[in-house]
């Protein structure tokens, strides 16, 4: 096998290692069971709904106690399904005051969901800022970008000229210096969308791990030192909500909590949360605050009172998907996957399957014996290549290298 043929065959094998696992997954579909844990303030207990997509069946139960019907599951969640229950006259009498005044439910409800991919995302370090349109009251983007810069301060870039606005940068840095900000800035967090009711600005972390809140009142920038100092911040999720109870959810390496409107830190339960592997959900209703972490392994659900004091905690192991994809471990030596790295995507080897070594060696030996027996060719290099790349190498050699030799 010539060097050029070997190189092209290796590239072909790598392409096969990306596409072949995808095709095998299509042939061996997963029987995914979707499980959701919910807390019921009606029965003061945890419930489980399970959806089996293979046979399209739903089951419901009070965890560890008894099975219930879907109607009971819905009736036990009066604030989630208030419109349905009130219309059918089945809203629980325990919360009669909310049935008579449904606006209390809306005013005291809030939902915050966070996927782990959000914590992994790396944005281009140029940040937008919003202001309210005076004529129509809608949010619009300001005509500049903010860059964290260096130890000399932040930089304001004019989007029309694509140049640094020295005057605006100097004025903004003066505000930061007067507030005790330690340059250089480390992190910048905001909710840069105009599809929200109002804007609460951004949170900026200085070099001493201090958290500062930057807002724009339509005329001037206002910087507030929150007095909060948090190390190893992973994310600050700004959440504008009409309730105005908290500005944001703060996720650190070993800590989780909310930044209140008084800039006090409200700690939340953290046990069971993996910032890069768990879905986070915070559901607030008029009587409880429910925090849950859902990963492929288990679901943690915390029940708190209105002051975020923990009352109950449930941990449930999730059901493993039923499939035969484990057979890939005996066939495929490795799998190539597309993964996001910083602002770009790259191909990387996902895992090596040690169990496939036997098949790879067997294919290499069979290929060598076949060519020697029928064509009197000792194709040591091709056989070695197959031993390394397994079934990918065999397909590549048969489809490409054999014709070139």
């Amino acid at each position: 096998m010539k060097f050029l043929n070997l190189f092209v065959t290796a590239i072909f094998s790598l392409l096969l290692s990306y596409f072949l696992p995808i095709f095998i997954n299509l042939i061996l579909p997963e029987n995914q069971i979707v499980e959701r844990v919910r807390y019921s303030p009606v029965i003061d207990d945890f419930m489980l709904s399970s959806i089996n997509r293979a046979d399209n069946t739903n089951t419901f139960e009070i965890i560890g106690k008894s099975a219930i019907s879907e109607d009971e599951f819905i009736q036990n969640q009066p604030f989630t399904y208030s419109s349905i229950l009130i219309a059918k006259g089945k809203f629980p009498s325990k919360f009669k005051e909310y049935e008579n005044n449904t606006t209390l439910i809306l005013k005291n409800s809030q939902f915050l969901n966070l996927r782990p991919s959000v914590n992994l995302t790396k944005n281009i370090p140029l940040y937008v800022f919003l202001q309210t349109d005076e004529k129509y009251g809608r949010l619009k983007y300001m005509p500049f970008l903010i860059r964290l810069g260096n130890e000399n301060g932040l930089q304001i870039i004019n989007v029309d000229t694509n140049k640094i606005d020295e005057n605006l940068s100097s004025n903004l840095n003066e505000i930061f210096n007067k507030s005790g900000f330690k340059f250089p800035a480390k992190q910048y967090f905001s909710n840069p969308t105009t599809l929200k009711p109002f804007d609460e600005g951004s949170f900026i972390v200085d070099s001493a791990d201090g958290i500062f809140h930057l807002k724009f009142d339509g005329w001037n920038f206002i910087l507030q030192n929150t007095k909060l100092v948090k190390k190893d911040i992973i994310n600050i999720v700004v959440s504008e909500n009409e309730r105005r109870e908290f500005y944001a959810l703060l996720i650190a390496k070993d800590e989780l909590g909310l930044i209140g409107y008084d800039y006090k830190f409200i700690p939340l339960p953290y046990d069971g949360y993996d910032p890069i592997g768990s879905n986070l959900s915070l559901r607030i209703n008029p009587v409880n605050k429910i925090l849950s972490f859902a990963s492929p392994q288990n679901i943690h659900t915390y029940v708190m009172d209105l002051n975020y004091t923990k009352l109950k905690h449930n941990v449930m192991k999730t059901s493993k998907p039923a499939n035969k994809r484990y057979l890939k471990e005996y066939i495929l030596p490795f799998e190539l996957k597309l993964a996001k790295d910083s602002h770009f995507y790259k191909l990387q080897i996902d895992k090596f399957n040690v169990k496939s070594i036997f098949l790879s060696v067997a294919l290499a030996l069979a290929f060598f014996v076949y060519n020697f027996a029928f064509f009197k060719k000792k194709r040591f290099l091709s056989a070695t290549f197959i031993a390394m790349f397994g079934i990918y190498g065999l397909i590549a050699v048969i489809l490409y290298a054999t014709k070139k030799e």
Side-chain angles (χ1 to χ4, degrees):
M1 186 186 293
K2 296 180 180 179
F3 175 77
L4 181 59
N5 291 346
L6 179 64
F7 176 77
V8 174
T9 307
I11 296 297
F12 188 27
S13 298
L14 291 175
L15 288 175
L16 286 171
S17 70
Y18 177 78
F19 289 103
L20 191 56
I22 295 176
F23 291 129
I24 292 178
N25 288 341
L26 293 175
I27 297 172
L28 303 173
E30 271 189 336
N31 177 15
Q32 184 71 42
I33 299 176
V34 180
E35 296 172 312
R36 295 186 178 93
V37 175
R38 295 291 182 262
Y39 170 75
S40 169
V42 178
I43 60 175
D44 189 26
D45 214 335
F46 296 94
M47 303 182 298
L48 172 68
S49 71
S50 300
I51 303 174
N52 190 325
R53 291 180 174 171
D55 53 19
N56 198 28
T57 58
N58 298 358
T59 58
F60 306 90
E61 64 177 276
I62 299 173
I63 296 178
K65 294 183 178 179
S66 61
I68 57 176
S69 66
E70 184 175 7
D71 287 342
E72 290 175 298
F73 183 78
I74 291 174
Q75 290 171 21
N76 287 335
Q77 300 179 77
F79 301 113
T80 302
Y81 300 101
S82 59
S83 59
I84 297 174
L85 297 176
I86 291 174
K88 292 185 175 183
K90 293 185 177 181
F91 197 86
S93 57
K94 182 179 181 179
F95 303 110
K96 192 70 175 178
E97 67 271 26
Y98 298 103
E99 181 181 10
N100 296 330
N101 188 359
T102 55
T103 58
L104 291 176
I105 299 177
L106 296 175
K107 289 180 179 179
N108 294 282
S109 297
Q110 185 173 347
F111 304 93
L112 193 156
N113 295 305
L114 184 71
R115 293 183 177 275
S117 57
V118 177
N119 295 328
L120 291 169
T121 300
K122 293 183 180 179
N123 299 311
I124 296 174
L126 292 172
Y127 306 99
V128 299
F129 214 87
L130 300 173
Q131 70 175 127
T132 303
D133 185 282
E134 294 181 4
K135 185 175 182 180
Y136 299 107
R138 295 177 299 195
L139 293 175
K140 65 177 184 179
Y141 294 107
M142 297 182 67
F144 60 76
L145 299 173
I146 297 177
R147 184 162 62 189
L148 298 188
N150 50 36
E151 63 276 358
N152 296 321
L154 302 176
Q155 295 175 333
I156 304 298
I157 300 175
N158 188 311
V159 296
D160 295 324
T161 63
N162 198 29
K163 293 182 180 180
I164 296 173
D165 188 320
E166 298 292 350
N167 290 331
L168 196 55
S169 298
S170 178
N171 293 337
L172 186 59
N173 288 325
E174 184 178 354
I175 296 173
F176 273 77
N177 285 320
K178 287 181 179 179
S179 298
F181 192 91
K182 309 294 184 189
F183 288 107
K186 291 173 62 175
Q187 295 167 292
Y188 186 105
F189 302 98
S190 67
N191 183 14
T193 176
T194 57
L195 302 177
K196 56 186 181 181
F198 55 91
D199 179 61
E200 288 291 13
S202 58
F203 287 90
I204 306 176
V205 183
D206 71 3
S207 61
D209 297 314
I211 301 173
F212 290 74
H213 189 197
L214 180 63
K215 297 181 71 175
F216 186 72
D217 63 1
W219 301 98
N220 301 297
F221 283 106
I222 301 170
L223 186 67
Q224 181 70 41
N225 186 348
T226 69
K227 305 296 183 182
L228 295 174
V229 178
K230 299 294 178 183
K231 293 183 177 295
D232 301 318
I233 294 175
I234 297 172
N235 200 357
I236 296 179
V237 184
V238 180
S239 176
E240 288 91 352
N241 187 277
E242 297 289 353
R243 294 180 64 250
R244 287 180 165 83
E245 181 183 354
F246 55 86
Y247 281 117
L249 172 72
L250 185 147
I251 303 167
K253 183 180 178 181
D254 299 307
E255 197 172 14
L256 180 71
L258 303 170
I259 300 176
Y261 264 69
D262 55 0
Y263 295 122
K264 290 183 179 178
F265 185 73
I266 305 169
L268 296 175
Y270 190 78
D271 184 39
Y273 180 55
D274 177 9
I276 61 173
S278 301
N279 289 319
L280 181 150
S281 174
L282 177 62
R283 298 185 298 276
I284 297 173
N285 62 51
V287 298
N288 288 115
K289 295 177 178 179
I290 316 298
L291 179 67
S292 63
F293 312 133
S295 71
Q297 293 75 36
N298 50 54
I299 301 174
H300 285 258
T301 307
Y302 293 90
V303 180
M304 300 171 286
D305 64 15
L306 297 181
N307 294 316
Y308 294 97
T309 301
K310 185 173 72 173
L311 303 175
K312 288 177 173 285
H313 177 209
N314 175 267
V315 183
M316 193 204 75
K317 291 183 182 277
T318 56
S319 302
K320 293 183 179 181
N323 60 60
K324 295 183 178 180
R325 292 183 180 178
Y326 64 88
L327 296 174
K328 293 192 298 181
E329 298 178 9
Y330 298 90
I331 301 172
L332 307 179
F334 58 89
E335 296 181 40
L336 204 62
K337 290 195 174 181
L338 197 63
K340 189 173 184 180
D341 178 38
S342 186
H343 315 300
F344 306 98
Y345 286 90
K346 69 175 183 178
L347 288 170
Q348 65 180 28
I349 294 176
D350 181 49
K351 56 185 175 182
F352 285 98
N353 297 320
V354 179
K355 297 176 182 178
S356 69
I357 292 177
F358 175 79
L359 177 62
S360 297
V361 174
L363 290 175
L365 182 61
F367 178 84
F368 178 82
V369 171
Y370 174 80
N371 278 273
F372 183 75
F374 290 95
F375 304 103
K376 304 303 180 182
K377 292 182 178 181
K378 298 179 180 179
R379 301 184 64 184
F380 290 107
L381 187 57
S382 294
T384 303
F385 183 86
I386 294 171
M388 292 174 57
F389 285 88
I391 192 170
Y392 307 133
L394 178 64
I395 296 173
V397 168
I398 292 174
L399 296 181
Y400 181 80
T402 301
K403 298 178 181 179
K404 299 294 181 180
E405 293 186 353

